[in-house]
Amino acid sequence: MDFIETVKQAGIVGAGGAGFPTHVKLNAKAEIFIVNAAECEPLIETDKYLCRTFADEIVAAIAAIAAHLGAKRSVIALKAKYTAEIAALSDAIKRGGVDIEIFQMSTFYPAGDEQSMVQQVTGRSVPERGLPLDVGAVVDNVGTVLGIYQAMQGEAVTEKYLSVTGEVREPVMLRVPIGTAISACIAAACPTISDYAIILGGPMMGRILRERKDIDGAVVTKTTGNILILPRDHYLITRDARPIERIRAQAKSACIQCRMCTDLCPRYLIGHQMRPHLVMRNLYREPVITDEAEYIRAFGDAMNCCDCGICEMFACPMGLSPRKVNDYMKAQLRTKGYKVDRLMDPHAREEVDRHHVPTGRLIARLGLAEYEGKHAKTCIELSPDSVFVPFQQHIGKPAVPTKSAGDEVRRGELLAAAAEGGLSANIHASVDGVITEINTAGARICRKEA
């Protein structure tokens, strides 16, 4: 079995983001292979743990991936303050006798954004709405790289490492089967409050769940890297509920056109046409613009937004919501069928390094300072009695079921095959057991009694 087929069969997807099928990303040749170990968002512990614990496996996988890509340069990019992780990886590189660089980044948000990382490591800016491959680079999260190592040993993706942080007795790492209930993960971390909401992921771009029924219905997927537990009345939770009508009225009455949202925008800094202050200025007249060219001039920049949230969670002195406005305008542009041209040869602006947002200041602005500096010291392994394995844990089409209710399955056995004719990924059983229910959404597996 060749390298790409090995990765495809294992069902590997991007472990740190939206879940792009890795066999598609790696079906290429590239000059540079970059491992993203920078932990993009605050208060997440997973990448650091993997670097400390599986350094040899990560280094071995990097060598194999770089050979497949024909990459002349292999780089692990992480924050300079990760001294223990850098030491572990450096030792593994020496033991492996391989040529891998460690690129030490300053502590800023979003250091783990792959386009910002490519610019930092290579000096090249990815085209608007483009891919790192457009400038000769491929970027994979460190968790994805570990998954590739395991695939090389014949193992499919059946488990996940994730951290639980925030309102807990102390942050913990968990090793759990895919499909484990989020509520079981929370219980294992011993939350210090009972009336909480959670963010799946980081505080800037994670998915917020407020209601208990939504929390109880959520499960760990291949892309789950962190659970942040916060009081239900925390600023991050209440702010997220603002409707677009209120946001439009606020923008009309309170935007002072200071440009801070633009000047600190990571996409603007790497040279993209991304000027949220202009989108905000024009929002009030959006309902009355009927000319396509004028509409694109007013709102086309929104298509280049990366949803990092700096504009609204850090930059805006008036507490407005440029990111949500950009999301709204993206949807409007797509609904209208308007095509926005792409800048294919952007160049980073000279202030790119001076305008990075320090992570410590961001944490304070978000009201999360009380949780900073608390790190996961232990890893707990959970073995739930049942799991619900979703068939869409990736960008693209959901996987197609290959089993039926009542079937006995073994851990690593194929549950659903990647759909033909588009992006998709295989899904495997994460525990030994019996399928008690299965449909197009996923399968529930209950462990067999001894």
Side-chain angles (χ1 to χ4, degrees):
M1 188 182 301
D2 69 11
F3 184 81
I4 290 296
E5 189 62 23
T6 297
V7 173
K8 180 179 180 180
Q9 289 299 317
I12 300 171
V13 303
F20 194 92
T22 303
H23 66 277
V24 177
K25 178 185 282 191
L26 294 183
N27 192 19
K29 296 298 178 183
E31 179 186 347
I32 304 167
F33 177 56
I34 302 172
V35 178
N36 184 344
E39 212 84 84
C40 186
E41 295 217 42
L43 306 182
I44 302 179
E45 294 288 303
T46 308
D47 288 357
K48 296 191 285 292
Y49 177 82
L50 297 181
C51 288
R52 293 193 306 270
T53 310
F54 300 104
D56 289 306
E57 293 86 343
I58 291 165
V59 165
I62 292 170
I65 297 165
H68 164 76
L69 293 172
K72 299 175 182 176
R73 185 182 174 197
S74 298
V75 180
I76 304 173
L78 72 174
K79 293 168 185 169
K81 72 174 185 177
Y82 294 172
T83 54
E85 293 75 19
I86 290 170
L89 291 166
S90 297
D91 289 345
I93 290 168
K94 289 178 183 177
R95 285 193 295 271
V98 291
D99 184 16
I100 299 173
E101 305 170 37
I102 293 182
F103 186 89
Q104 299 185 35
M105 307 178 74
S106 59
T107 304
F108 70 91
Y109 175 80
D113 166 62
E114 71 172 15
Q115 294 197 16
S116 296
M117 181 172 284
V118 167
Q119 192 281 321
Q120 289 280 297
V121 173
T122 70
R124 306 169 188 170
S125 291
V126 176
E128 292 177 353
R129 284 159 276 150
L131 299 171
L133 192 59
D134 294 330
V135 293
V138 167
V139 183
D140 267 327
N141 173 266
V142 67
T144 308
V145 172
L146 179 60
I148 291 170
Y149 174 84
Q150 293 167 339
M152 291 162 56
Q153 315 310 309
E155 298 180 29
V157 180
T158 61
E159 63 183 20
K160 185 68 178 177
Y161 288 90
L162 66 149
S163 52
V164 187
T165 58
E167 286 289 346
V168 294
R169 188 169 60 193
E170 64 176 10
V172 297
M173 286 298 307
L174 299 178
R175 178 185 178 187
V176 304
I178 299 294
T180 298
I182 291 294
S183 56
C185 298
I186 294 170
C190 300
T192 56
I193 57 176
S194 58
D195 189 24
Y196 55 76
I198 67 169
I199 303 179
L200 294 177
M204 294 293 282
M205 292 190 286
R207 182 163 66 98
I208 294 175
L209 300 181
R210 301 178 191 82
E211 304 303 325
R212 188 52 58 100
K213 63 179 178 60
D214 296 326
I215 295 172
D216 290 343
V219 299
V220 174
T221 70
K222 296 177 183 181
T223 62
T224 307
N226 184 69
I227 303 170
L228 176 58
I229 302 173
L230 295 173
R232 282 172 55 86
D233 61 355
H234 191 279
Y235 170 72
L236 290 176
I237 307 302
T238 58
R239 179 192 174 96
D240 183 68
R242 295 179 184 177
I244 188 64
E245 294 79 11
R246 181 180 174 190
I247 289 170
R248 189 195 300 273
Q250 288 175 326
K252 180 179 179 180
S253 62
C255 180
I256 59 175
Q257 288 293 290
C258 67
R259 279 190 56 102
M260 289 296 291
C261 56
T262 294
D263 290 341
L264 297 181
C265 172
R267 289 294 185 266
Y268 174 80
L269 291 173
I270 66 171
H272 291 187
Q273 183 165 296
M274 181 65 250
R275 300 161 297 179
H277 76 284
L278 295 184
V279 176
M280 295 293 282
R281 185 170 76 188
N282 287 294
L283 182 62
Y284 80 95
R285 63 191 190 99
E286 184 260 337
V288 299
I289 300 177
T290 56
D291 178 71
E292 178 178 346
E294 175 61 17
Y295 200 96
I296 291 173
R297 277 195 297 272
F299 306 114
D301 287 12
M303 294 301 296
N304 296 323
C305 176
C306 65
D307 295 318
C308 73
I310 283 176
C311 53
E312 64 184 37
M313 304 306 295
F314 186 86
C316 182
M318 307 304 290
L320 304 180
S321 303
R323 171 175 56 179
K324 284 200 169 183
V325 171
N326 284 333
D327 284 344
Y328 169 76
M329 293 315 310
K330 286 180 192 178
Q332 292 296 101
L333 287 159
R334 293 183 183 118
T335 298
K336 294 176 182 295
Y338 293 169
K339 303 298 182 183
V340 180
D341 291 338
R342 297 167 56 198
L343 179 61
M344 299 304 296
D345 188 28
H347 297 278
R349 292 178 165 84
E350 63 178 50
E351 65 269 26
V352 61
D353 292 323
R354 298 195 304 273
H355 284 189
H356 284 152
V357 172
T359 303
R361 290 180 62 189
L362 175 64
I363 289 172
R365 190 74 61 86
L366 296 177
L368 300 173
E370 64 184 293
Y371 312 120
E372 186 181 14
K374 300 177 181 179
H375 302 295
K377 301 180 179 65
T378 58
C379 183
I380 301 170
E381 185 170 351
L382 300 186
S383 298
D385 292 334
S386 70
V387 295
F388 182 81
V389 183
F391 290 161
Q392 179 137 31
Q393 304 179 40
H394 48 268
I395 286 177
K397 298 179 179 179
V400 180
T402 60
K403 299 290 183 180
S404 302
D407 288 350
E408 293 187 13
V409 290
R410 303 286 294 177
R411 175 177 173 270
E413 191 172 342
L414 189 69
L415 277 181
E420 298 293 336
L423 292 176
S424 192
N426 288 339
I427 302 291
H428 301 82
S430 58
V431 297
D432 298 344
V434 177
I435 298 174
T436 57
E437 61 175 292
I438 188 168
N439 52 45
T440 56
R444 183 167 298 281
I445 306 172
C446 293
R447 292 183 188 273
K448 293 180 65 177
E449 292 185 5

